[in-house]
Amino acid sequence: MPIPATWSSQLLSILRIVTGLGFLQHGVSKFFGIPPFPMPLNPLLTTAGVLELVGGTLIVIGLFTRPVAFVLSGMSAAAYFIAHAPQGFFPAANNGEPAMLYCFIFLYLAAAGGGIWSADAARAKA
C-alpha cells in the first residue's frame, strides 16, 4: 500500500525529530559522557558539541528550523572534510557516512522547513 502524499508534512516532521535526536546525542556524548566520548575536547570539538546540543534541541522542537538546519548542514560538511575525507575517499571506508547524511538531511530541512508538527508551524498559525 503506497503512503499517501497527504502524509508528507507529517513524515517531514518525523524525519526532523529523528534526525535532531540523533544529532543531539553527539553533543550529549561530548559534554555529559553518555555514551562516553572517546577523546578529550579541544576548541573545535567543543564548538561542535555546542552546535550539536543547541542545534539538535532546536531541530527536535522545530524552532527556527530553516536557519538552524542550514548552519548544521555546514557544520556536518566541515566535519566530513576535516575528520573523515583525509582518511580515504569512500564514506563507507572513512566512517563519514553519518556526517554526509546529516549534511544533506539538514540541507533538505533548510529548504523544506520543519513540517506540520513543529514550533515553527505553530508560530505561523498564531
Side-chain angles (χ1 to χ4, degrees):
M1 179 170 131
I3 297 174
T6 57
W7 294 4
S8 62
S9 188
Q10 290 88 344
L11 291 173
L12 172 60
S13 293
I14 292 169
L15 174 68
R16 174 188 47 78
I17 292 164
V18 170
T19 301
L21 288 171
F23 204 68
L24 179 61
Q25 78 174 343
H26 293 281
V28 169
S29 174
K30 285 179 180 74
F31 290 120
F32 303 109
I34 305 168
F37 192 69
M39 63 186 74
L41 295 182
N42 59 33
L44 188 60
L45 289 173
T46 301
T47 302
V50 169
L51 288 170
E52 290 160 350
L53 277 176
V54 175
T57 300
L58 290 171
I59 291 293
V60 169
I61 295 167
L63 184 61
F64 308 119
T65 303
R66 291 177 194 269
V68 170
F70 185 76
V71 169
L72 296 182
S73 177
M75 184 209 132
S76 298
Y80 181 83
F81 287 108
I82 291 169
H84 301 286
Q87 297 176 25
F89 180 76
F90 298 103
N94 67 22
N95 297 317
E97 282 180 295
M100 177 186 66
L101 289 172
Y102 279 124
C103 176
F104 284 97
I105 292 170
F106 286 134
L107 188 59
Y108 173 69
L109 291 174
I116 197 166
W117 298 329
S118 67
D120 291 336
R123 288 179 35 203
K125 283 182 185 178

